[in-house]
Amino acid sequence: MSTDVSMPIEQTPIAGVTTIVDRKPAVIFGLATAGLALILLFAGVSDDTTFRLATPDDWAELPAVTVPAAPTAWLLVLICALCTAVSVSLLLKERRTPMVLVVVFAISWMIGFLTWAAAGASIPMVGLLAGSLALAVPLVFGALGGVLGERAGVVNIAIDGQLLAGAFAAAVVGSMTGVTWFGLVAAMAAGMLVALLLGLFAISYFVDQVIVGVVLNVLIIGLTSFMFSQVLAPNAESLNNPPRFDKIDIPVLGGIPLIGPILFRQTAVVYILYVVVALVTWALYRTRWGLRVRAVGEHPQAADTVGIKVNRTRYRTIILAGAIAGMGGAFYTLVSVPQFNREMTGGAGYIALAAVIFGKWDPIRATLAALLFGFASNLQGVLSVIGSPVPSQFMLMLPYVVTIFAVAGLVGRSRAPAADGVPYIKG
Amino acid sequence: MSTPDNEPGSEPGTEPGTEPGDTRTQESARPEPEHRDADRWGGVLREIASGRAMTAFLSVLLAVIVGSLLIAATDEAVRDASKYLFAAPGDFFSAAWDSIWGAYTALFRGSIYNTNGADFETKIRPLTETCKFAAPLIAAGLGVGLAFRASMFNIGGRGQMLMAGAAAGWVGYQFDLPWPLHLTLAVVAGMVAGALWGGLAGFLKARTGAHEVILTIMLNYVAFYLLFYALSEQSLLQAPGSLNPKSLPMKESAVMPKLLGDRYNLHLGFVLALVAVAVVWWILNRSALGFRIRAVGLNADAARAAGINVGRTYTTVMLIAGALVGLAGANQVLGTVTSGIGVDLDAGIGFDAITVALLGRSRPLGILGAGLLFGAFKAGGFAMQASQNIPVDIVLVVQSLIVLFIAAPPLIQAIFRLPAKEAK
């Protein structure tokens, strides 16, 4: 997944010093298991829970699984507790918790929670997961843009502005030309334009990057809302009626039960996303370009000394990042909703920013964080439909609370690139 | 002093001669990471604080010009005239002039003096509206500006206002108390709630080193969903029997009295905002706490070396900042919209406050002026929307442009071809 270079410092064994092992997994496992057990103790359930796993076009139809809620949930709590015990014993031996254990724990915990939350009802698993992916797509694009910018040393608070500008441009150009791909390209251009503004003020004029980011967001909200009321709303038919990407069912892969309908019956934008995630990760860690980007983000002076043009590299990186974030914006108007609306991103850019930090400035982890946040908001929607005991607002609050915990270092410290947010002044 | 490297994306009109050397922080000696952070903030905020009136004026002018172009470009009549631009250029320019002139006279009539009013009382009404809109902007702007002075960026205005509004509103509808006591109690409750929410961010920064920008942004959303939850539960804030996320209206005894009689909407909140200006001025310029705040803001390392407890100063500043933003929240719930607490009670003021503080250069009197200006934009913006059909969002555009231009004096100097020395 990631090379040694990308590893946060506290996880890297240092010669001659006691090996420091990340305590994070053990702590999180313990807290999460205890939390689930408490929920079951104080709000016990007695009904059955049904998981629906199949969709019509699968090769083999998986049967719906019906389980008694309480015993199943307790069984899964037991599995979680076992995982915690293993993690703690590994920690005492100063060894890291393997990824497999994290995955087993996460799945058991989630199914345990769902079993409890949906007792007496049935959960469409495919719909739940596919919906999560749909909600997470703009977040992942935004988070990737954020990771790239911050790795090069430019804090990008304006992700939200880039998403919104992308959504706006995609809607207008898509409607005018009637071609979805032109809309997508326009969204990328809009994202790049916002990035260029960010660069102009933050890199060339040394204005504080956070201030520029916040103000750019306000500017884009103002501009798009103004244009929406003034131009788009009166001419909705010709300017705010974009075509939409069709779902493409990938042969063979799309037929795999459970996974197929979630991952391989999506629109072209989602397939582009898979490629972009892989490309960004590969480029950032395995190419000369990526090494340079990380160098100007960590130690611009050293990079300058060996002949890397710091500000040019930063400009190129954030403009690329802007194009990626802009594509995320296009997802709103070319896939999710058939038209642009004022402030339609609803602050998704800030969640993407949270994903960047929670994902420790690593493309893969940021993607996973964005998927997690997408899952949390979609779970809220599904649970409120089947009528669950958890207030929806608390599910929606989850990404933000998690991020506060992450930045406050209560569960392992997040370390930003060293020169993140610092303008480089030569000389 | 060095010349900046000429990167391909930099403003082409910027000759090396117009680059002011001393508006930038010197980064040549790399301090240690945590210290550099404070240096960076200090440098930038100093730069904003020392921006001169000329730059401020030109920034406002430039932003208004861009706004005018936007209005003209999107106007129906102008677009129709542009179709035969070369046949009748006069039509095009007169249509463009009409749309811009119409917009700005409407803005003036909506914010300062309504020349179409029947009598003097009606004519002067817009000015009182401006003051009404300015009150929360000033209070919240002070909260953001005070944090700026300690090198902290308080983006949490929205969350602090929501928590404050909820607390003030709850006291306002829940209790039966005589008039001055009830109102006082409600305002204090709001300020305390805002202070706690702001102080939480300051405390976490002081204790864990987490960046307050991320903390306050996230706390905004947490506050929003907390309030939303409380307003959808009958046992908490939601009005009995209601299905909407809205609380009961305020009791008469907790409502801020109108200052100029029932004819005008201007209420006591404006006076409280003025008092807050005086108090913050006193804290910053005359108290030991203000000295500590400014010392931490200018150089946290030097302050620490001089024996100032930097962490405690961060927490204190955010407590006071939260209380000031809380005053804005109480002002909204108890003065401007007394029909009950809603999730949108902040009305964007939490974010507007950032632009107010930046334009006001984080000085109490500057914030007063900036708050009045943006209050006028708001009052006039609604009038402009009503009479000229120009969406009020144009105000957001102009506001954010002003702040962007002010933050980059070299850009303004380049655009207006000012010699660097005169404009500074």
Short mmCIF file of all heavy atoms in Angstrom, two decimals, chain B residues 367-405:
data_model
loop_
_atom_site.label_atom_id
_atom_site.label_comp_id
_atom_site.label_asym_id
_atom_site.label_seq_id
_atom_site.Cartn_x
_atom_site.Cartn_y
_atom_site.Cartn_z
N ILE B 367 -12.86 47.21 12.97
CA ILE B 367 -13.94 46.24 12.86
C ILE B 367 -15.30 46.94 12.91
O ILE B 367 -16.23 46.58 12.19
CB ILE B 367 -13.81 45.18 13.97
CG1 ILE B 367 -12.60 44.29 13.65
CG2 ILE B 367 -15.07 44.34 14.08
CD1 ILE B 367 -12.20 43.38 14.78
N LEU B 368 -15.39 47.98 13.74
CA LEU B 368 -16.62 48.77 13.80
C LEU B 368 -16.95 49.32 12.41
O LEU B 368 -18.07 49.18 11.91
CB LEU B 368 -16.47 49.90 14.82
CG LEU B 368 -17.63 50.90 14.93
CD1 LEU B 368 -18.88 50.20 15.40
CD2 LEU B 368 -17.28 52.04 15.87
N GLY B 369 -15.93 49.93 11.78
CA GLY B 369 -16.14 50.49 10.44
C GLY B 369 -16.48 49.43 9.42
O GLY B 369 -17.43 49.57 8.64
N ALA B 370 -15.71 48.32 9.45
CA ALA B 370 -15.95 47.25 8.49
C ALA B 370 -17.33 46.64 8.70
O ALA B 370 -18.04 46.31 7.73
CB ALA B 370 -14.87 46.19 8.63
N GLY B 371 -17.72 46.48 9.97
CA GLY B 371 -19.03 45.92 10.27
C GLY B 371 -20.14 46.80 9.73
O GLY B 371 -21.13 46.32 9.16
N LEU B 372 -19.98 48.14 9.89
CA LEU B 372 -20.99 49.06 9.36
C LEU B 372 -21.05 48.97 7.84
O LEU B 372 -22.14 48.96 7.25
CB LEU B 372 -20.67 50.50 9.80
CG LEU B 372 -21.00 50.80 11.26
CD1 LEU B 372 -20.44 52.16 11.66
CD2 LEU B 372 -22.50 50.76 11.50
N LEU B 373 -19.87 48.89 7.20
CA LEU B 373 -19.85 48.80 5.73
C LEU B 373 -20.56 47.54 5.24
O LEU B 373 -21.42 47.60 4.36
CB LEU B 373 -18.40 48.81 5.23
CG LEU B 373 -18.24 48.66 3.71
CD1 LEU B 373 -18.75 49.89 3.00
CD2 LEU B 373 -16.80 48.38 3.32
N PHE B 374 -20.21 46.39 5.87
CA PHE B 374 -20.83 45.15 5.42
C PHE B 374 -22.30 45.09 5.84
O PHE B 374 -23.11 44.45 5.16
CB PHE B 374 -20.04 43.94 5.95
CG PHE B 374 -18.76 43.71 5.17
CD1 PHE B 374 -18.38 44.57 4.16
CD2 PHE B 374 -17.95 42.64 5.46
CE1 PHE B 374 -17.21 44.36 3.44
CE2 PHE B 374 -16.77 42.42 4.75
CZ PHE B 374 -16.41 43.28 3.75
N GLY B 375 -22.63 45.75 6.95
CA GLY B 375 -24.04 45.85 7.33
C GLY B 375 -24.82 46.62 6.27
O GLY B 375 -25.93 46.24 5.89
N ALA B 376 -24.18 47.69 5.76
CA ALA B 376 -24.81 48.48 4.70
C ALA B 376 -24.96 47.63 3.44
O ALA B 376 -26.00 47.67 2.77
CB ALA B 376 -23.97 49.72 4.40
N PHE B 377 -23.92 46.83 3.12
CA PHE B 377 -24.02 45.95 1.96
C PHE B 377 -25.20 45.00 2.11
O PHE B 377 -25.92 44.72 1.16
CB PHE B 377 -22.74 45.10 1.83
CG PHE B 377 -21.63 45.79 1.07
CD1 PHE B 377 -20.31 45.51 1.35
CD2 PHE B 377 -21.92 46.71 0.08
CE1 PHE B 377 -19.28 46.12 0.66
CE2 PHE B 377 -20.90 47.34 -0.62
CZ PHE B 377 -19.58 47.04 -0.33
N LYS B 378 -25.37 44.48 3.33
CA LYS B 378 -26.44 43.51 3.56
C LYS B 378 -27.80 44.16 3.41
O LYS B 378 -28.67 43.67 2.68
CB LYS B 378 -26.31 42.91 4.96
CG LYS B 378 -25.91 41.48 4.89
CD LYS B 378 -25.95 40.80 6.22
CE LYS B 378 -25.29 39.44 6.01
NZ LYS B 378 -25.27 38.63 7.19
N ALA B 379 -27.98 45.31 4.13
CA ALA B 379 -29.27 46.01 4.06
C ALA B 379 -29.55 46.41 2.62
O ALA B 379 -30.65 46.19 2.09
CB ALA B 379 -29.24 47.22 4.98
N GLY B 380 -28.53 46.98 1.95
CA GLY B 380 -28.71 47.43 0.58
C GLY B 380 -28.90 46.27 -0.38
O GLY B 380 -29.64 46.37 -1.36
N GLY B 381 -28.21 45.16 -0.08
CA GLY B 381 -28.31 43.99 -0.95
C GLY B 381 -29.73 43.47 -1.04
O GLY B 381 -30.21 43.14 -2.13
N PHE B 382 -30.41 43.44 0.10
CA PHE B 382 -31.80 42.97 0.08
C PHE B 382 -32.69 43.94 -0.69
O PHE B 382 -33.58 43.53 -1.44
CB PHE B 382 -32.31 42.77 1.51
CG PHE B 382 -31.71 41.56 2.16
CD1 PHE B 382 -30.89 41.67 3.28
CD2 PHE B 382 -31.94 40.30 1.65
CE1 PHE B 382 -30.32 40.55 3.87
CE2 PHE B 382 -31.38 39.17 2.23
CZ PHE B 382 -30.56 39.30 3.35
N ALA B 383 -32.41 45.26 -0.51
CA ALA B 383 -33.19 46.26 -1.25
C ALA B 383 -32.95 46.12 -2.75
O ALA B 383 -33.87 46.23 -3.56
CB ALA B 383 -32.82 47.66 -0.77
N MET B 384 -31.68 45.85 -3.10
CA MET B 384 -31.31 45.71 -4.50
C MET B 384 -32.02 44.50 -5.11
O MET B 384 -32.51 44.55 -6.24
CB MET B 384 -29.80 45.51 -4.56
CG MET B 384 -29.15 45.76 -5.86
SD MET B 384 -27.39 45.98 -5.61
CE MET B 384 -26.85 44.33 -5.36
N GLN B 385 -32.11 43.44 -4.33
CA GLN B 385 -32.78 42.24 -4.82
C GLN B 385 -34.26 42.52 -5.04
O GLN B 385 -34.84 42.11 -6.03
CB GLN B 385 -32.61 41.11 -3.81
CG GLN B 385 -33.24 39.80 -4.25
CD GLN B 385 -32.71 38.62 -3.46
OE1 GLN B 385 -32.25 38.77 -2.34
NE2 GLN B 385 -32.75 37.45 -4.05
N ALA B 386 -34.85 43.28 -4.10
CA ALA B 386 -36.27 43.54 -4.19
C ALA B 386 -36.59 44.46 -5.37
O ALA B 386 -37.53 44.20 -6.12
CB ALA B 386 -36.77 44.17 -2.88
N SER B 387 -35.81 45.53 -5.55
CA SER B 387 -36.20 46.52 -6.55
C SER B 387 -35.59 46.26 -7.92
O SER B 387 -36.19 46.55 -8.94
CB SER B 387 -35.83 47.93 -6.08
OG SER B 387 -34.43 48.08 -6.10
N GLN B 388 -34.36 45.72 -7.96
CA GLN B 388 -33.69 45.56 -9.25
C GLN B 388 -33.58 44.10 -9.69
O GLN B 388 -33.02 43.83 -10.74
CB GLN B 388 -32.28 46.15 -9.18
CG GLN B 388 -32.23 47.60 -8.78
CD GLN B 388 -32.69 48.51 -9.91
OE1 GLN B 388 -32.26 48.36 -11.03
NE2 GLN B 388 -33.59 49.42 -9.61
N ASN B 389 -34.07 43.19 -8.86
CA ASN B 389 -33.98 41.76 -9.18
C ASN B 389 -32.55 41.27 -9.31
O ASN B 389 -32.26 40.35 -10.07
CB ASN B 389 -34.72 41.46 -10.49
CG ASN B 389 -36.10 40.97 -10.20
OD1 ASN B 389 -36.32 40.34 -9.15
ND2 ASN B 389 -37.03 41.25 -11.06
N ILE B 390 -31.63 41.91 -8.61
CA ILE B 390 -30.24 41.44 -8.63
C ILE B 390 -30.04 40.58 -7.39
O ILE B 390 -30.26 41.05 -6.28
CB ILE B 390 -29.26 42.62 -8.63
CG1 ILE B 390 -29.42 43.40 -9.94
CG2 ILE B 390 -27.83 42.13 -8.46
CD1 ILE B 390 -28.73 44.72 -9.93
N PRO B 391 -29.65 39.31 -7.58
CA PRO B 391 -29.54 38.42 -6.42
C PRO B 391 -28.61 38.98 -5.36
O PRO B 391 -27.56 39.55 -5.68
CB PRO B 391 -28.97 37.13 -7.02
CG PRO B 391 -29.28 37.21 -8.46
CD PRO B 391 -29.33 38.65 -8.82
N VAL B 392 -29.00 38.80 -4.11
CA VAL B 392 -28.24 39.37 -3.00
C VAL B 392 -26.85 38.73 -2.90
O VAL B 392 -25.95 39.26 -2.26
CB VAL B 392 -29.03 39.23 -1.69
CG1 VAL B 392 -29.08 37.78 -1.25
CG2 VAL B 392 -28.46 40.10 -0.61
N ASP B 393 -26.67 37.59 -3.59
CA ASP B 393 -25.37 36.91 -3.53
C ASP B 393 -24.22 37.76 -4.05
O ASP B 393 -23.07 37.51 -3.73
CB ASP B 393 -25.43 35.62 -4.34
CG ASP B 393 -26.60 34.76 -3.94
OD1 ASP B 393 -26.56 34.22 -2.84
OD2 ASP B 393 -27.56 34.65 -4.72
N ILE B 394 -24.55 38.80 -4.85
CA ILE B 394 -23.50 39.67 -5.36
C ILE B 394 -22.72 40.29 -4.20
O ILE B 394 -21.52 40.57 -4.30
CB ILE B 394 -24.10 40.76 -6.28
CG1 ILE B 394 -23.02 41.53 -7.03
CG2 ILE B 394 -24.93 41.76 -5.51
CD1 ILE B 394 -22.39 40.75 -8.13
N VAL B 395 -23.41 40.48 -3.07
CA VAL B 395 -22.75 41.06 -1.89
C VAL B 395 -21.62 40.14 -1.42
O VAL B 395 -20.54 40.61 -1.06
CB VAL B 395 -23.78 41.30 -0.78
CG1 VAL B 395 -23.10 41.68 0.51
CG2 VAL B 395 -24.75 42.39 -1.20
N LEU B 396 -21.89 38.82 -1.43
CA LEU B 396 -20.85 37.85 -1.04
C LEU B 396 -19.63 38.00 -1.94
O LEU B 396 -18.49 37.97 -1.48
CB LEU B 396 -21.38 36.42 -1.18
CG LEU B 396 -22.17 35.82 -0.04
CD1 LEU B 396 -22.45 34.37 -0.34
CD2 LEU B 396 -21.40 35.94 1.25
N VAL B 397 -19.90 38.14 -3.24
CA VAL B 397 -18.80 38.24 -4.20
C VAL B 397 -17.96 39.48 -3.88
O VAL B 397 -16.73 39.40 -3.78
CB VAL B 397 -19.35 38.32 -5.64
CG1 VAL B 397 -18.22 38.50 -6.63
CG2 VAL B 397 -20.15 37.07 -5.97
N VAL B 398 -18.64 40.62 -3.73
CA VAL B 398 -17.92 41.88 -3.48
C VAL B 398 -17.13 41.78 -2.17
O VAL B 398 -15.95 42.14 -2.11
CB VAL B 398 -18.89 43.06 -3.47
CG1 VAL B 398 -18.18 44.33 -3.05
CG2 VAL B 398 -19.51 43.25 -4.84
N GLN B 399 -17.78 41.23 -1.14
CA GLN B 399 -17.11 41.11 0.16
C GLN B 399 -15.84 40.27 0.06
O GLN B 399 -14.77 40.66 0.53
CB GLN B 399 -18.03 40.43 1.16
CG GLN B 399 -18.90 41.40 1.91
CD GLN B 399 -19.82 40.68 2.88
OE1 GLN B 399 -19.65 39.50 3.16
NE2 GLN B 399 -20.79 41.39 3.40
N SER B 400 -15.97 39.10 -0.58
CA SER B 400 -14.79 38.22 -0.61
C SER B 400 -13.69 38.82 -1.48
O SER B 400 -12.51 38.66 -1.18
CB SER B 400 -15.18 36.82 -1.08
OG SER B 400 -16.00 36.89 -2.21
N LEU B 401 -14.09 39.53 -2.55
CA LEU B 401 -13.07 40.17 -3.38
C LEU B 401 -12.32 41.24 -2.59
O LEU B 401 -11.10 41.35 -2.67
CB LEU B 401 -13.71 40.79 -4.63
CG LEU B 401 -14.11 39.81 -5.73
CD1 LEU B 401 -14.82 40.52 -6.85
CD2 LEU B 401 -12.88 39.10 -6.27
N ILE B 402 -13.06 42.02 -1.80
CA ILE B 402 -12.42 43.05 -0.99
C ILE B 402 -11.33 42.43 -0.12
O ILE B 402 -10.19 42.90 -0.08
CB ILE B 402 -13.46 43.78 -0.09
CG1 ILE B 402 -14.39 44.64 -0.94
CG2 ILE B 402 -12.76 44.64 0.95
CD1 ILE B 402 -15.49 45.29 -0.15
N VAL B 403 -11.71 41.33 0.55
CA VAL B 403 -10.74 40.71 1.46
C VAL B 403 -9.54 40.15 0.70
O VAL B 403 -8.39 40.32 1.11
CB VAL B 403 -11.42 39.61 2.28
CG1 VAL B 403 -10.41 38.88 3.12
CG2 VAL B 403 -12.49 40.21 3.15
N LEU B 404 -9.80 39.51 -0.45
CA LEU B 404 -8.69 38.97 -1.23
C LEU B 404 -7.73 40.09 -1.64
O LEU B 404 -6.51 39.96 -1.51
CB LEU B 404 -9.21 38.29 -2.50
CG LEU B 404 -9.56 36.82 -2.42
CD1 LEU B 404 -9.97 36.31 -3.79
CD2 LEU B 404 -8.40 36.00 -1.89
N PHE B 405 -8.29 41.21 -2.13
CA PHE B 405 -7.43 42.30 -2.59
C PHE B 405 -6.66 42.91 -1.43
O PHE B 405 -5.48 43.23 -1.55
CB PHE B 405 -8.27 43.38 -3.28
CG PHE B 405 -8.85 42.92 -4.59
CD1 PHE B 405 -10.10 43.33 -5.00
CD2 PHE B 405 -8.13 42.07 -5.41
CE1 PHE B 405 -10.63 42.91 -6.21
CE2 PHE B 405 -8.65 41.64 -6.62
CZ PHE B 405 -9.91 42.05 -7.02
#
